[in-house]
Amino acid sequence: MPKISIKEISFNKNLYPRFNFDEETVNQYRVNIDRLPPIAISENYILIDGYHRLIAYKIEQREEIEVEIVPV
């Protein structure tokens, strides 16, 4: 899977189907960050799936994240 800069990914709350922040989920992802599956983004780098994973990467100050680019 390709990796891209976290700074390139945009989050649009209106497009995200399950927007409900769960701090416990983010903390669990932080502990297991190197074993997480890639997040899904559109061809123009809008987040489709993986909000909590993206937040975990940001908190851990990672610069890149594995992505699956989904054609829309």
Side-chain angles (χ1 to χ4, degrees):
M1 291 286 154
K3 286 187 174 185
I4 66 166
S5 170
I6 288 174
K7 294 177 183 176
E8 294 183 63
I9 300 168
S10 61
F11 173 71
N12 184 333
K13 186 167 87 170
N14 295 328
L15 298 176
Y16 203 73
R18 299 173 297 177
F19 184 74
N20 193 9
F21 182 77
D22 184 346
E23 188 173 341
E24 181 61 31
T25 299
V26 172
N27 288 333
Q28 289 176 2
Y29 287 168
R30 290 177 65 199
V31 170
N32 296 295
I33 201 156
D34 292 323
R35 295 188 296 248
L36 297 176
I39 63 172
I41 61 172
S42 68
E43 295 165 321
N44 53 353
Y45 296 175
I46 296 174
L47 184 68
I48 295 172
D49 185 49
Y51 177 75
H52 289 93
R53 285 171 275 166
L54 181 61
I55 296 301
Y57 269 76
K58 287 180 178 183
I59 291 171
E60 291 296 311
Q61 299 180 346
R62 302 284 180 109
E63 294 183 14
E64 294 183 324
I65 190 167
E66 269 190 31
V67 297
E68 176 185 348
I69 298 174
V70 179
V72 288

Coordinates of all heavy atoms in Angstrom, one line a residue:
M1 N 0.8 -1.2 0.0 CA 0.0 0.0 0.0 C 0.9 1.2 0.0 O 1.9 1.3 0.7 CB -0.9 0.0 1.2 CG -2.0 -1.0 1.3 SD -3.3 -0.6 0.2 CE -3.9 -2.2 -0.1
P2 N 0.5 2.3 -0.7 CA 1.2 3.5 -0.7 C 1.1 4.3 0.6 O 0.1 4.1 1.3 CB 0.6 4.3 -1.9 CG -0.7 3.8 -2.0 CD -0.7 2.3 -1.6
K3 N 2.1 5.1 0.9 CA 2.0 6.0 2.1 C 2.0 7.4 1.5 O 2.7 7.7 0.5 CB 3.3 5.8 2.9 CG 3.3 4.5 3.7 CD 4.4 4.5 4.7 CE 4.3 3.3 5.6 NZ 5.4 3.4 6.6
I4 N 1.2 8.2 2.2 CA 1.2 9.7 1.9 C 1.4 10.5 3.1 O 1.1 10.0 4.2 CB 0.0 10.1 1.1 CG1 -1.3 9.9 1.9 CG2 -0.2 9.3 -0.2 CD1 -2.5 10.6 1.4
S5 N 1.7 11.7 3.0 CA 1.8 12.7 4.1 C 0.4 12.9 4.7 O -0.6 13.1 4.0 CB 2.3 14.0 3.6 OG 2.2 15.0 4.6
I6 N 0.4 12.8 6.0 CA -0.9 13.0 6.7 C -1.4 14.4 6.5 O -2.6 14.6 6.4 CB -0.6 12.8 8.3 CG1 -0.4 11.3 8.5 CG2 -1.8 13.3 9.1 CD1 -0.1 10.9 9.9
K7 N -0.6 15.4 6.2 CA -1.0 16.7 6.0 C -1.8 16.9 4.7 O -2.5 17.8 4.5 CB 0.2 17.7 5.9 CG 1.0 17.8 7.2 CD 2.2 18.6 7.1 CE 3.0 18.7 8.4 NZ 4.2 19.4 8.2
E8 N -1.7 15.9 3.8 CA -2.4 16.0 2.5 C -3.8 15.5 2.6 O -4.6 15.7 1.7 CB -1.6 15.1 1.5 CG -0.3 15.7 1.1 CD 0.4 14.9 0.0 OE1 -0.2 14.8 -1.1 OE2 1.4 14.2 0.3
I9 N -4.2 14.8 3.7 CA -5.5 14.2 3.8 C -6.5 15.2 4.4 O -6.2 15.8 5.4 CB -5.4 12.9 4.7 CG1 -4.5 11.9 4.1 CG2 -6.8 12.3 4.9 CD1 -4.1 10.8 5.0
S10 N -7.6 15.3 3.7 CA -8.6 16.3 4.3 C -9.8 15.5 4.8 O -10.1 14.4 4.4 CB -9.1 17.3 3.2 OG -9.6 16.6 2.1
F11 N -10.4 16.0 5.8 CA -11.5 15.4 6.5 C -12.7 16.3 6.3 O -12.7 17.5 6.7 CB -11.2 15.2 8.0 CG -12.4 14.7 8.8 CD1 -12.9 13.4 8.6 CD2 -13.0 15.5 9.7 CE1 -14.0 13.0 9.3 CE2 -14.1 15.1 10.4 CZ -14.6 13.8 10.2
N12 N -13.8 15.8 5.8 CA -15.0 16.6 5.6 C -16.1 15.9 6.4 O -16.6 14.9 6.1 CB -15.4 16.6 4.1 CG -16.6 17.5 3.9 OD1 -17.5 17.7 4.8 ND2 -16.7 18.0 2.7
K13 N -16.4 16.5 7.6 CA -17.4 16.0 8.5 C -18.7 15.7 7.8 O -19.4 14.7 8.2 CB -17.6 16.9 9.7 CG -18.5 16.4 10.8 CD -18.4 17.2 12.0 CE -19.3 18.4 12.0 NZ -19.4 19.1 13.3
N14 N -19.1 16.5 6.9 CA -20.4 16.3 6.2 C -20.4 15.0 5.3 O -21.5 14.5 5.0 CB -20.8 17.5 5.3 CG -21.0 18.7 6.2 OD1 -21.5 18.6 7.3 ND2 -20.6 19.9 5.7
L15 N -19.2 14.6 4.9 CA -19.2 13.4 4.0 C -18.9 12.1 4.7 O -19.0 11.0 4.2 CB -18.1 13.6 2.9 CG -18.2 14.8 2.0 CD1 -17.0 14.9 1.1 CD2 -19.5 14.6 1.1
Y16 N -18.4 12.2 6.0 CA -18.0 11.1 6.7 C -19.3 10.4 7.4 O -20.0 11.1 8.2 CB -17.0 11.5 7.8 CG -16.1 10.3 8.2 CD1 -15.2 9.8 7.4 CD2 -16.3 9.7 9.5 CE1 -14.4 8.7 7.8 CE2 -15.6 8.7 9.9 CZ -14.6 8.2 9.1 OH -13.8 7.1 9.5
P17 N -19.5 9.2 7.0 CA -20.8 8.6 7.5 C -20.9 8.3 9.0 O -22.0 8.3 9.5 CB -20.9 7.3 6.7 CG -19.4 7.0 6.3 CD -18.7 8.3 6.2
R18 N -19.8 8.0 9.7 CA -19.9 7.6 11.1 C -19.2 8.5 12.0 O -18.3 8.1 12.7 CB -19.4 6.2 11.2 CG -20.1 5.2 10.4 CD -19.3 3.9 10.5 NE -18.0 4.1 9.9 CZ -17.0 3.2 9.9 NH1 -17.2 2.0 10.4 NH2 -15.9 3.4 9.3
F19 N -19.4 9.8 11.9 CA -18.7 10.7 12.7 C -19.1 10.7 14.2 O -20.2 11.2 14.5 CB -18.7 12.2 12.2 CG -17.9 13.1 13.0 CD1 -16.5 13.1 12.8 CD2 -18.4 14.0 13.9 CE1 -15.7 13.9 13.5 CE2 -17.6 14.8 14.6 CZ -16.2 14.8 14.5
N20 N -18.3 10.0 15.0 CA -18.6 9.9 16.4 C -17.2 9.6 17.1 O -16.8 8.5 17.0 CB -19.6 8.9 16.7 CG -20.1 9.0 18.1 OD1 -19.8 9.9 18.8 ND2 -20.9 8.0 18.6
F21 N -16.6 10.6 17.6 CA -15.2 10.4 18.1 C -15.3 9.6 19.4 O -16.1 9.8 20.3 CB -14.6 11.8 18.5 CG -13.2 11.7 19.0 CD1 -12.2 11.5 18.1 CD2 -13.0 11.8 20.4 CE1 -10.9 11.4 18.6 CE2 -11.7 11.7 20.8 CZ -10.6 11.5 20.0
D22 N -14.4 8.6 19.4 CA -14.2 7.7 20.6 C -12.8 7.7 21.0 O -11.9 7.1 20.4 CB -14.7 6.3 20.2 CG -14.7 5.3 21.3 OD1 -14.1 5.6 22.4 OD2 -15.3 4.2 21.2
E23 N -12.5 8.3 22.1 CA -11.2 8.4 22.6 C -10.5 7.1 23.0 O -9.3 6.9 22.7 CB -11.2 9.3 23.9 CG -9.8 9.7 24.4 CD -9.8 10.7 25.5 OE1 -10.8 11.4 25.7 OE2 -8.8 10.8 26.2
E24 N -11.3 6.2 23.5 CA -10.8 4.8 23.8 C -10.3 4.1 22.5 O -9.3 3.5 22.6 CB -11.8 4.0 24.5 CG -11.4 2.6 24.9 CD -10.2 2.6 25.9 OE1 -10.1 3.6 26.7 OE2 -9.3 1.7 25.8
T25 N -11.1 4.2 21.5 CA -10.6 3.6 20.2 C -9.3 4.2 19.7 O -8.4 3.5 19.3 CB -11.7 3.8 19.1 OG1 -12.9 3.2 19.6 CG2 -11.3 3.3 17.8
V26 N -9.2 5.5 19.8 CA -7.9 6.2 19.4 C -6.8 5.7 20.2 O -5.7 5.4 19.7 CB -8.1 7.7 19.5 CG1 -6.7 8.4 19.2 CG2 -9.1 8.2 18.4
N27 N -7.0 5.6 21.5 CA -5.9 5.1 22.4 C -5.5 3.7 22.1 O -4.3 3.3 22.1 CB -6.3 5.2 23.9 CG -6.3 6.7 24.3 OD1 -5.6 7.5 23.8 ND2 -7.2 7.0 25.3
Q28 N -6.5 2.8 21.8 CA -6.2 1.4 21.4 C -5.4 1.4 20.1 O -4.5 0.6 19.9 CB -7.5 0.6 21.3 CG -8.1 0.3 22.6 CD -9.4 -0.4 22.4 OE1 -9.9 -0.7 21.3 NE2 -10.1 -0.7 23.5
Y29 N -5.8 2.3 19.2 CA -5.0 2.3 17.9 C -3.6 2.8 18.1 O -2.7 2.4 17.4 CB -5.8 3.2 16.9 CG -7.0 2.6 16.3 CD1 -7.9 3.4 15.6 CD2 -7.3 1.3 16.5 CE1 -9.1 2.8 15.1 CE2 -8.5 0.7 16.0 CZ -9.4 1.5 15.3 OH -10.5 0.9 14.8
R30 N -3.4 3.8 19.0 CA -2.1 4.3 19.3 C -1.2 3.2 19.8 O 0.0 3.1 19.4 CB -2.2 5.4 20.3 CG -2.8 6.7 19.8 CD -2.9 7.8 20.8 NE -1.6 8.2 21.2 CZ -1.3 8.8 22.4 NH1 -2.3 9.1 23.2 NH2 -0.1 9.2 22.7
V31 N -1.7 2.3 20.6 CA -0.9 1.2 21.2 C -0.5 0.2 20.1 O 0.6 -0.3 20.1 CB -1.7 0.5 22.3 CG1 -1.0 -0.7 22.8 CG2 -1.9 1.5 23.5
N32 N -1.4 0.1 19.1 CA -1.2 -0.9 18.0 C -0.9 -0.3 16.7 O -1.1 -0.9 15.7 CB -2.4 -1.8 17.9 CG -2.6 -2.6 19.2 OD1 -1.8 -3.4 19.5 ND2 -3.7 -2.3 19.9
I33 N -0.3 0.9 16.7 CA -0.2 1.7 15.5 C 0.5 1.1 14.3 O 0.2 1.2 13.2 CB 0.4 3.1 15.8 CG1 0.0 4.1 14.7 CG2 1.9 3.0 16.1 CD1 0.0 5.5 15.1
D34 N 1.5 0.3 14.6 CA 2.3 -0.4 13.6 C 1.6 -1.6 13.0 O 2.1 -2.2 12.0 CB 3.7 -0.8 14.1 CG 4.5 0.5 14.3 OD1 4.4 1.5 13.6 OD2 5.3 0.5 15.3
R35 N 0.4 -2.0 13.5 CA -0.3 -3.1 13.0 C -1.7 -2.7 12.4 O -2.5 -3.6 12.1 CB -0.5 -4.1 14.1 CG 0.8 -4.7 14.6 CD 0.5 -5.9 15.6 NE -0.1 -5.4 16.8 CZ 0.4 -5.3 18.0 NH1 1.6 -5.8 18.2 NH2 -0.3 -4.9 19.0
L36 N -1.9 -1.4 12.3 CA -3.2 -1.0 11.7 C -3.3 -1.1 10.2 O -2.3 -1.0 9.5 CB -3.4 0.5 12.1 CG -3.5 0.8 13.6 CD1 -3.7 2.3 13.8 CD2 -4.7 0.0 14.3
P37 N -4.5 -1.4 9.7 CA -4.7 -1.5 8.3 C -4.7 -0.1 7.7 O -4.8 0.9 8.4 CB -6.1 -2.1 8.1 CG -6.8 -1.8 9.4 CD -5.7 -1.8 10.5
P38 N -4.5 0.1 6.4 CA -4.5 1.4 5.8 C -5.8 2.1 5.9 O -6.9 1.4 6.0 CB -4.1 1.1 4.3 CG -4.3 -0.3 4.1 CD -4.3 -1.0 5.4
I39 N -5.8 3.4 5.9 CA -7.1 4.1 5.8 C -7.5 4.2 4.3 O -6.7 4.0 3.4 CB -6.9 5.5 6.4 CG1 -5.9 6.4 5.6 CG2 -6.6 5.5 7.9 CD1 -5.9 7.9 6.1
A40 N -8.8 4.5 4.1 CA -9.3 4.7 2.7 C -9.5 6.1 2.5 O -10.1 6.9 3.3 CB -10.6 3.9 2.6
I41 N -9.0 6.6 1.3 CA -9.1 8.0 0.9 C -9.6 8.0 -0.6 O -9.4 7.0 -1.3 CB -7.9 8.8 1.0 CG1 -6.7 8.2 0.2 CG2 -7.5 8.9 2.5 CD1 -5.5 9.1 0.2
S42 N -10.2 9.1 -1.0 CA -10.6 9.3 -2.4 C -9.3 9.7 -3.2 O -8.3 9.9 -2.6 CB -11.7 10.3 -2.5 OG -11.1 11.6 -2.2
E43 N -9.5 9.7 -4.5 CA -8.4 10.1 -5.4 C -7.9 11.5 -5.1 O -6.8 11.8 -5.4 CB -8.9 9.9 -6.8 CG -9.2 8.5 -7.2 CD -9.9 8.4 -8.5 OE1 -10.8 9.2 -8.8 OE2 -9.6 7.5 -9.3
N44 N -8.8 12.3 -4.5 CA -8.3 13.7 -4.2 C -8.0 13.8 -2.7 O -8.1 14.9 -2.2 CB -9.3 14.7 -4.7 CG -10.7 14.5 -4.2 OD1 -11.0 13.4 -3.6 ND2 -11.6 15.4 -4.5
Y45 N -7.7 12.7 -2.1 CA -7.2 12.6 -0.7 C -8.2 13.1 0.4 O -7.8 13.6 1.4 CB -5.9 13.4 -0.5 CG -4.8 12.9 -1.3 CD1 -3.6 13.6 -1.4 CD2 -4.9 11.7 -2.1 CE1 -2.5 13.1 -2.1 CE2 -3.8 11.2 -2.8 CZ -2.6 11.9 -2.8 OH -1.5 11.4 -3.5
I46 N -9.5 12.8 0.1 CA -10.5 13.1 1.2 C -10.7 11.8 1.9 O -10.9 10.7 1.3 CB -11.8 13.6 0.5 CG1 -11.6 15.0 -0.1 CG2 -12.9 13.7 1.6 CD1 -12.8 15.5 -0.9
L47 N -10.7 11.8 3.2 CA -10.9 10.6 4.0 C -12.2 10.0 3.8 O -13.3 10.6 3.8 CB -10.8 11.0 5.5 CG -10.8 9.8 6.5 CD1 -9.6 8.9 6.3 CD2 -10.9 10.3 7.9
I48 N -12.2 8.7 3.5 CA -13.4 7.9 3.4 C -13.7 7.0 4.6 O -14.8 6.9 5.1 CB -13.4 7.0 2.1 CG1 -13.3 7.9 0.9 CG2 -14.5 6.0 2.0 CD1 -13.0 7.1 -0.4
D49 N -12.6 6.3 5.1 CA -12.7 5.5 6.2 C -11.4 5.5 7.0 O -10.3 5.4 6.3 CB -13.1 4.0 5.8 CG -13.3 3.1 7.0 OD1 -14.0 3.5 7.9 OD2 -12.7 2.0 7.0
G50 N -11.4 5.6 8.3 CA -10.2 5.5 9.1 C -10.0 6.8 9.9 O -8.8 7.1 10.3
Y51 N -11.0 7.4 10.3 CA -10.9 8.7 11.1 C -10.1 8.4 12.4 O -9.1 9.2 12.7 CB -12.3 9.2 11.4 CG -12.2 10.5 12.3 CD1 -11.8 11.7 11.8 CD2 -12.6 10.4 13.6 CE1 -11.8 12.8 12.5 CE2 -12.5 11.5 14.4 CZ -12.1 12.7 13.9 OH -12.0 13.9 14.7
H52 N -10.4 7.4 13.1 CA -9.7 7.2 14.4 C -8.3 6.8 14.2 O -7.4 7.2 15.0 CB -10.5 6.1 15.2 CG -11.8 6.6 15.8 ND1 -13.0 6.5 15.1 CD2 -12.1 7.3 16.9 CE1 -13.9 7.0 15.8 NE2 -13.4 7.6 16.9
R53 N -8.0 6.0 13.1 CA -6.6 5.7 12.8 C -5.8 6.9 12.4 O -4.7 7.1 12.9 CB -6.6 4.7 11.7 CG -7.0 3.3 12.1 CD -7.1 2.4 10.9 NE -8.5 2.5 10.4 CZ -8.9 2.1 9.2 NH1 -8.1 1.5 8.4 NH2 -10.1 2.3 8.9
L54 N -6.4 7.8 11.7 CA -5.8 9.1 11.3 C -5.5 9.9 12.5 O -4.4 10.4 12.6 CB -6.7 9.8 10.3 CG -6.1 11.2 9.8 CD1 -4.8 10.9 9.0 CD2 -7.1 11.9 8.9
I55 N -6.4 10.0 13.4 CA -6.2 10.8 14.7 C -5.0 10.2 15.5 O -4.2 10.9 16.0 CB -7.5 10.9 15.5 CG1 -8.5 11.7 14.8 CG2 -7.2 11.5 16.9 CD1 -8.2 13.1 14.4
A56 N -5.0 8.8 15.6 CA -3.9 8.1 16.3 C -2.6 8.5 15.7 O -1.6 8.7 16.4 CB -4.2 6.6 16.3
Y57 N -2.5 8.5 14.4 CA -1.2 8.8 13.7 C -0.8 10.2 14.0 O 0.3 10.5 14.2 CB -1.4 8.6 12.2 CG -1.0 7.2 11.8 CD1 -1.8 6.1 12.0 CD2 0.3 7.0 11.1 CE1 -1.4 4.8 11.5 CE2 0.6 5.7 10.7 CZ -0.2 4.7 10.9 OH 0.1 3.4 10.5
K58 N -1.8 11.1 14.0 CA -1.5 12.5 14.3 C -1.0 12.7 15.7 O 0.0 13.4 16.0 CB -2.7 13.4 14.1 CG -3.1 13.6 12.6 CD -4.3 14.5 12.4 CE -4.6 14.7 11.0 NZ -5.7 15.6 10.8
I59 N -1.6 12.1 16.7 CA -1.2 12.2 18.1 C 0.2 11.6 18.2 O 1.0 12.1 19.0 CB -2.2 11.5 19.0 CG1 -3.5 12.2 19.0 CG2 -1.7 11.3 20.4 CD1 -4.7 11.5 19.7
E60 N 0.5 10.5 17.5 CA 1.8 9.9 17.6 C 2.8 10.7 16.8 O 4.0 10.2 16.7 CB 1.7 8.4 17.2 CG 1.0 7.6 18.1 CD 1.6 7.5 19.5 OE1 2.9 7.2 19.6 OE2 0.9 7.7 20.5
Q61 N 2.4 11.7 16.2 CA 3.3 12.6 15.4 C 4.0 11.9 14.2 O 5.1 12.2 13.9 CB 4.3 13.3 16.3 CG 3.7 14.2 17.3 CD 4.7 14.9 18.2 OE1 5.9 14.5 18.3 NE2 4.2 15.9 19.0
R62 N 3.2 11.0 13.7 CA 3.7 10.3 12.4 C 3.5 11.3 11.3 O 2.5 12.0 11.2 CB 2.9 9.0 12.2 CG 3.0 8.0 13.3 CD 4.4 7.3 13.3 NE 4.5 6.4 14.4 CZ 4.5 5.0 14.3 NH1 4.4 4.5 13.1 NH2 4.6 4.3 15.3
E63 N 4.4 11.2 10.3 CA 4.3 12.1 9.2 C 3.5 11.5 8.0 O 2.9 12.2 7.2 CB 5.6 12.6 8.7 CG 6.3 13.5 9.8 CD 7.6 14.0 9.4 OE1 8.0 13.9 8.2 OE2 8.4 14.5 10.2
E64 N 3.6 10.1 7.9 CA 2.9 9.4 6.8 C 2.0 8.3 7.3 O 2.2 7.8 8.4 CB 4.0 8.8 5.9 CG 4.9 9.8 5.1 CD 5.8 9.2 4.2 OE1 6.3 8.1 4.5 OE2 6.1 9.7 3.1
I65 N 1.1 7.9 6.4 CA 0.2 6.9 6.8 C -0.1 6.1 5.5 O -0.1 6.6 4.4 CB -1.1 7.4 7.4 CG1 -2.0 6.3 7.9 CG2 -1.9 8.3 6.4 CD1 -3.2 6.9 8.8
E66 N -0.3 4.8 5.7 CA -0.6 3.9 4.6 C -2.1 4.2 4.2 O -2.9 4.3 5.0 CB -0.5 2.4 5.0 CG 0.8 1.8 4.7 CD 0.9 0.3 4.8 OE1 -0.1 -0.3 4.6 OE2 2.0 -0.2 5.2
V67 N -2.3 4.2 2.9 CA -3.6 4.5 2.4 C -4.0 3.5 1.3 O -3.2 2.9 0.6 CB -3.7 5.9 1.8 CG1 -3.4 6.9 2.9 CG2 -2.8 6.1 0.6
E68 N -5.3 3.3 1.2 CA -5.9 2.7 0.0 C -6.7 3.8 -0.7 O -7.6 4.4 -0.1 CB -6.8 1.6 0.5 CG -7.6 0.9 -0.6 CD -8.6 -0.2 -0.2 OE1 -8.5 -0.5 1.0 OE2 -9.3 -0.6 -1.0
I69 N -6.4 4.0 -2.0 CA -7.0 5.0 -2.7 C -8.2 4.4 -3.4 O -8.1 3.4 -4.2 CB -6.1 5.7 -3.7 CG1 -5.0 6.4 -2.9 CG2 -6.9 6.7 -4.6 CD1 -3.9 7.0 -3.8
V70 N -9.4 4.9 -3.1 CA -10.7 4.3 -3.6 C -11.2 5.3 -4.7 O -11.5 6.4 -4.4 CB -11.7 4.2 -2.5 CG1 -13.0 3.6 -3.0 CG2 -11.2 3.3 -1.4
P71 N -11.3 4.8 -6.0 CA -11.9 5.6 -7.0 C -13.4 5.9 -6.7 O -14.1 5.0 -6.3 CB -11.8 4.8 -8.3 CG -11.3 3.5 -7.9 CD -11.0 3.5 -6.4
V72 N -13.8 7.2 -6.9 CA -15.2 7.5 -6.6 C -15.8 8.1 -7.9 O -15.2 8.4 -8.8 CB -15.3 8.6 -5.5 CG1 -15.1 7.9 -4.2 CG2 -14.4 9.7 -5.7

